[in-house]
Amino acid sequence: MWIPIAFAIGCLAYFLLPVEPSVIWGIGSFVLGLLGVAIIRRYYTAYLGLYQISWTITLVALGFGLASLQTHRQEPFYAVPSRATIVQGKVKSIEYLSTGKQRITLQQVRFITAPESDQQEWKRVILFTLSAKDHQSFGNGDIVQARVMLHRPSSPQFIKRYDLQFQSWFRNIGAYGYALEPVKIIAARPNYSIQKLREKIATHIRAVNAGSAGIIAQILLTGIGGELSPDVRHAFAASGLAHLLAIAGLHLGIVIGIVTFTVRWLLLRSQTLALYWSTKTIAIVIGWGVGCCYLILTGLHIPAMRSLFMASIVMLALLCNRSVFSKYNLMLAALFLLLFSPASVLDVSFQMSMAAVMALVSGYQLIFRWLKKYQHVHSYTYCFIKIYILEGAWVSILAGSAVVPVIMFYFHELNLYFVCANLIAVPLMALWIMPLGLLALCTMAFGLDYIFLNLMFFGIDWVIWLAEWVAHLPYASITVPLFPAWGYILYFFGLCILCLCITAIRWSGIVMMIMGISSIFFVTAPTIITSPNGRMIGINHHHQLLMVCQGGCDSLTAEEWRKVSKATAVKIVSDNTKEAGIYCNQEYCFLDDEKILIVLKNIPNNQQEHLCQSSIIELSFLWNQSFCKNIPVVNKKENWINGSHSIWLHPLTINTDIQNRGQRPWVMESIQRGIPKMPMAQQE
């Protein structure tokens, strides 16, 4: 059972290194481990501990090597133009946003505008958003041309947070941007693919309901994402129902369960089929097949593929009359997914799925054994209490409690009412929304889906109302400060020990989990945070985040900074702010309590000496200019070269994004543009 754990440790060791390691380390460790296994197996069979250590070294080295192989198989980040340019390519997919805009994924990209026109065809895709006035009908496979403004994947807005460059490296994305003019269709190429079918279904759903219910139905039935309004998305996050908006194991399990139960119920209506046919086997096979079709229709997302593999093992166990709740099934699924994509070890959906399923497989046995004592009771009241109240609540507690630290680490939130919300929302999803969605898909080709879609929207509206009601309860969502990475790793390792070990040592996992979660109380939040482009500065001033921005503040970034800095509110500081401890004019801002100088423009010479003597650090919106020579200076050039800064004042400590992520293939400094995709030099 510990094979995928050792493999994951090897993958994690590779991705967290600050410098790119040599291939010799991975190959040497792998050969050394295998050699140790062979020698101990042949000559020292009594030394079981050394045998296990050798296998552990081998598996860690294998994970390390495969992670390196996956990284170096990716195309490098190409040079992205810093001005408007014309691109031409083939439409790979289309997303419909709640704002009415469309987002296109373009592959086989070529630049029309010089000098980028000298570049070869890109092997990476680009994503760009169309203007609100561009309502053309595009199809998957169409050749289009657009005048766009592109930018490379951005650096993290805060150290040790979501890394878009890492995700883009492994998702084969080269640039993001937006269209400046309506897109021109060069050649319409009808492509009768699954993607085309998904887009047609999504368009039909939006035509029936373009609101939040329609977007959620589109996500559930096609997997094509849409941008929900910030209020609705926040309500789902605060109530602990955000998992309903991502196609994963819950939705796949509901689909397979509905189809399997329905098929078997129909087969049992016939006495001949019930006597001479294996209705259980037929129902399981058909349910699994429909689940595969649903997975293909929703886009083969990694979390859903992981769930399908796990469901396949469960179905095979049912067919062979073996135990369904087996830890070996989970570990086999985890190992397969890590072999397929070692980078998924850092994917939040992978971590949440593994944590939830580990807790379910290990903890469900407790209530199962207790309920087994009362299996002779056959009253409907008991069945309702058993299936819905006890089992449903226990499942929600197990899965929810296991993923709470994951949510705390990535989203800085703690949801207190997730059990109650899921007790209502999940049955509503399983018994109303998803069955009606399947009926709508089956009848859509005949034009009979209107009533099923509207009934489905009705159920989704109830879930939205529930999420908003729970989100407005007192203390529904508590902000969690910075969760250190070492504490998160300690929690996850403790969870693995608790769920996978069968001896008394498993209880030490609880101690490790408590220590990992408690680490949030031993971390000091930074006083100052800067953005990687040097245009935003956040300062924690008396539990209030003061935002000083050049060209406007991004609200999402400000809210993220507020959470990690333990601030209670965000305040935008302008050039005429004059409050207690804060003085700003058109040239500079000075915070008297923290002794921080923020340079907006050139400071008059007669004020420079006094300000520098009163300050312990200078933050500047100027490119490479500083006025204080005896104190640290962080200007725009420093941010562009080293990325986001986190600064602690007592004692004065400056940490940068580049120091944290190191020199890795997917790490690009803000000042870098990428590698031009130029053809090889001609040879005679």
PDB file of all heavy atoms in Angstrom, residues 647-660:
ATOM      1  N   ILE A 647       7.923  40.806   2.739  1.00  0.00           N
ATOM      2  CA  ILE A 647       8.879  41.520   3.581  1.00  0.00           C
ATOM      3  C   ILE A 647       8.377  41.530   5.013  1.00  0.00           C
ATOM      4  O   ILE A 647       7.230  41.890   5.280  1.00  0.00           O
ATOM      5  CB  ILE A 647       9.086  42.965   3.077  1.00  0.00           C
ATOM      6  CG1 ILE A 647       9.542  42.953   1.606  1.00  0.00           C
ATOM      7  CG2 ILE A 647      10.104  43.706   3.939  1.00  0.00           C
ATOM      8  CD1 ILE A 647       9.591  44.313   0.963  1.00  0.00           C
ATOM      9  N   TRP A 648       9.244  41.110   5.928  1.00  0.00           N
ATOM     10  CA  TRP A 648       8.985  41.185   7.364  1.00  0.00           C
ATOM     11  C   TRP A 648       9.860  42.298   7.932  1.00  0.00           C
ATOM     12  O   TRP A 648      11.054  42.404   7.590  1.00  0.00           O
ATOM     13  CB  TRP A 648       9.320  39.874   8.059  1.00  0.00           C
ATOM     14  CG  TRP A 648       8.407  38.744   7.702  1.00  0.00           C
ATOM     15  CD1 TRP A 648       7.356  38.272   8.424  1.00  0.00           C
ATOM     16  CD2 TRP A 648       8.476  37.902   6.530  1.00  0.00           C
ATOM     17  NE1 TRP A 648       6.751  37.210   7.789  1.00  0.00           N
ATOM     18  CE2 TRP A 648       7.421  36.961   6.619  1.00  0.00           C
ATOM     19  CE3 TRP A 648       9.302  37.864   5.415  1.00  0.00           C
ATOM     20  CZ2 TRP A 648       7.189  36.004   5.643  1.00  0.00           C
ATOM     21  CZ3 TRP A 648       9.074  36.913   4.436  1.00  0.00           C
ATOM     22  CH2 TRP A 648       8.029  35.997   4.556  1.00  0.00           C
ATOM     23  N   LEU A 649       9.314  43.109   8.818  1.00  0.00           N
ATOM     24  CA  LEU A 649      10.047  44.274   9.328  1.00  0.00           C
ATOM     25  C   LEU A 649      10.828  43.983  10.599  1.00  0.00           C
ATOM     26  O   LEU A 649      11.821  44.651  10.875  1.00  0.00           O
ATOM     27  CB  LEU A 649       9.063  45.428   9.579  1.00  0.00           C
ATOM     28  CG  LEU A 649       8.351  45.982   8.338  1.00  0.00           C
ATOM     29  CD1 LEU A 649       7.467  47.156   8.721  1.00  0.00           C
ATOM     30  CD2 LEU A 649       9.352  46.399   7.268  1.00  0.00           C
ATOM     31  N   HIS A 650      10.399  43.022  11.412  1.00  0.00           N
ATOM     32  CA  HIS A 650      11.043  42.786  12.713  1.00  0.00           C
ATOM     33  C   HIS A 650      11.378  41.307  12.864  1.00  0.00           C
ATOM     34  O   HIS A 650      10.520  40.512  13.284  1.00  0.00           O
ATOM     35  CB  HIS A 650      10.116  43.246  13.844  1.00  0.00           C
ATOM     36  CG  HIS A 650       9.653  44.653  13.722  1.00  0.00           C
ATOM     37  ND1 HIS A 650      10.486  45.736  13.908  1.00  0.00           N
ATOM     38  CD2 HIS A 650       8.422  45.164  13.413  1.00  0.00           C
ATOM     39  CE1 HIS A 650       9.804  46.852  13.743  1.00  0.00           C
ATOM     40  NE2 HIS A 650       8.548  46.534  13.427  1.00  0.00           N
ATOM     41  N   PRO A 651      12.608  40.890  12.535  1.00  0.00           N
ATOM     42  CA  PRO A 651      13.663  41.699  11.920  1.00  0.00           C
ATOM     43  C   PRO A 651      13.421  41.863  10.422  1.00  0.00           C
ATOM     44  O   PRO A 651      12.605  41.141   9.832  1.00  0.00           O
ATOM     45  CB  PRO A 651      14.923  40.881  12.195  1.00  0.00           C
ATOM     46  CG  PRO A 651      14.423  39.469  12.208  1.00  0.00           C
ATOM     47  CD  PRO A 651      13.054  39.510  12.809  1.00  0.00           C
ATOM     48  N   LEU A 652      14.114  42.799   9.825  1.00  0.00           N
ATOM     49  CA  LEU A 652      13.915  43.097   8.414  1.00  0.00           C
ATOM     50  C   LEU A 652      14.391  41.922   7.558  1.00  0.00           C
ATOM     51  O   LEU A 652      15.578  41.601   7.505  1.00  0.00           O
ATOM     52  CB  LEU A 652      14.666  44.372   8.028  1.00  0.00           C
ATOM     53  CG  LEU A 652      14.460  44.857   6.588  1.00  0.00           C
ATOM     54  CD1 LEU A 652      12.986  45.152   6.325  1.00  0.00           C
ATOM     55  CD2 LEU A 652      15.301  46.085   6.294  1.00  0.00           C
ATOM     56  N   THR A 653      13.430  41.255   6.902  1.00  0.00           N
ATOM     57  CA  THR A 653      13.717  40.084   6.067  1.00  0.00           C
ATOM     58  C   THR A 653      12.968  40.232   4.754  1.00  0.00           C
ATOM     59  O   THR A 653      11.777  40.551   4.747  1.00  0.00           O
ATOM     60  CB  THR A 653      13.278  38.781   6.766  1.00  0.00           C
ATOM     61  OG1 THR A 653      13.862  38.716   8.064  1.00  0.00           O
ATOM     62  CG2 THR A 653      13.695  37.570   5.956  1.00  0.00           C
ATOM     63  N   ILE A 654      13.669  40.005   3.655  1.00  0.00           N
ATOM     64  CA  ILE A 654      13.074  40.115   2.328  1.00  0.00           C
ATOM     65  C   ILE A 654      13.173  38.768   1.632  1.00  0.00           C
ATOM     66  O   ILE A 654      14.266  38.212   1.499  1.00  0.00           O
ATOM     67  CB  ILE A 654      13.771  41.206   1.482  1.00  0.00           C
ATOM     68  CG1 ILE A 654      13.676  42.566   2.177  1.00  0.00           C
ATOM     69  CG2 ILE A 654      13.156  41.278   0.087  1.00  0.00           C
ATOM     70  CD1 ILE A 654      14.402  43.673   1.452  1.00  0.00           C
ATOM     71  N   ASN A 655      12.033  38.239   1.214  1.00  0.00           N
ATOM     72  CA  ASN A 655      11.977  36.961   0.500  1.00  0.00           C
ATOM     73  C   ASN A 655      11.320  37.196  -0.854  1.00  0.00           C
ATOM     74  O   ASN A 655      10.337  37.942  -0.950  1.00  0.00           O
ATOM     75  CB  ASN A 655      11.180  35.938   1.306  1.00  0.00           C
ATOM     76  CG  ASN A 655      11.382  34.528   0.787  1.00  0.00           C
ATOM     77  OD1 ASN A 655      12.201  34.302  -0.110  1.00  0.00           O
ATOM     78  ND2 ASN A 655      10.635  33.583   1.315  1.00  0.00           N
ATOM     79  N   THR A 656      11.836  36.559  -1.892  1.00  0.00           N
ATOM     80  CA  THR A 656      11.324  36.775  -3.248  1.00  0.00           C
ATOM     81  C   THR A 656      10.814  35.471  -3.844  1.00  0.00           C
ATOM     82  O   THR A 656      11.155  34.375  -3.385  1.00  0.00           O
ATOM     83  CB  THR A 656      12.410  37.367  -4.166  1.00  0.00           C
ATOM     84  OG1 THR A 656      13.446  36.393  -4.351  1.00  0.00           O
ATOM     85  CG2 THR A 656      13.007  38.625  -3.574  1.00  0.00           C
ATOM     86  N   ASP A 657      10.008  35.619  -4.875  1.00  0.00           N
ATOM     87  CA  ASP A 657       9.430  34.455  -5.547  1.00  0.00           C
ATOM     88  C   ASP A 657      10.503  33.609  -6.218  1.00  0.00           C
ATOM     89  O   ASP A 657      10.445  32.378  -6.183  1.00  0.00           O
ATOM     90  CB  ASP A 657       8.391  34.926  -6.564  1.00  0.00           C
ATOM     91  CG  ASP A 657       7.837  33.785  -7.393  1.00  0.00           C
ATOM     92  OD1 ASP A 657       7.221  32.884  -6.809  1.00  0.00           O
ATOM     93  OD2 ASP A 657       8.039  33.785  -8.626  1.00  0.00           O
ATOM     94  N   ILE A 658      11.488  34.246  -6.836  1.00  0.00           N
ATOM     95  CA  ILE A 658      12.555  33.501  -7.514  1.00  0.00           C
ATOM     96  C   ILE A 658      13.384  32.716  -6.500  1.00  0.00           C
ATOM     97  O   ILE A 658      13.807  31.589  -6.769  1.00  0.00           O
ATOM     98  CB  ILE A 658      13.437  34.464  -8.330  1.00  0.00           C
ATOM     99  CG1 ILE A 658      12.636  35.024  -9.508  1.00  0.00           C
ATOM    100  CG2 ILE A 658      14.674  33.759  -8.843  1.00  0.00           C
ATOM    101  CD1 ILE A 658      12.162  33.991 -10.497  1.00  0.00           C
ATOM    102  N   GLN A 659      13.607  33.282  -5.314  1.00  0.00           N
ATOM    103  CA  GLN A 659      14.310  32.539  -4.277  1.00  0.00           C
ATOM    104  C   GLN A 659      13.528  31.292  -3.870  1.00  0.00           C
ATOM    105  O   GLN A 659      14.115  30.246  -3.595  1.00  0.00           O
ATOM    106  CB  GLN A 659      14.516  33.429  -3.051  1.00  0.00           C
ATOM    107  CG  GLN A 659      15.516  34.548  -3.236  1.00  0.00           C
ATOM    108  CD  GLN A 659      15.601  35.440  -2.014  1.00  0.00           C
ATOM    109  OE1 GLN A 659      14.849  35.275  -1.051  1.00  0.00           O
ATOM    110  NE2 GLN A 659      16.504  36.407  -2.053  1.00  0.00           N
ATOM    111  N   ASN A 660      12.218  31.396  -3.852  1.00  0.00           N
ATOM    112  CA  ASN A 660      11.383  30.281  -3.423  1.00  0.00           C
ATOM    113  C   ASN A 660      11.262  29.214  -4.501  1.00  0.00           C
ATOM    114  O   ASN A 660      11.401  28.019  -4.221  1.00  0.00           O
ATOM    115  CB  ASN A 660       9.998  30.805  -3.044  1.00  0.00           C
ATOM    116  CG  ASN A 660       9.041  29.691  -2.676  1.00  0.00           C
ATOM    117  OD1 ASN A 660       9.206  29.012  -1.678  1.00  0.00           O
ATOM    118  ND2 ASN A 660       8.033  29.489  -3.510  1.00  0.00           N
TER     119      ASN A 660
END
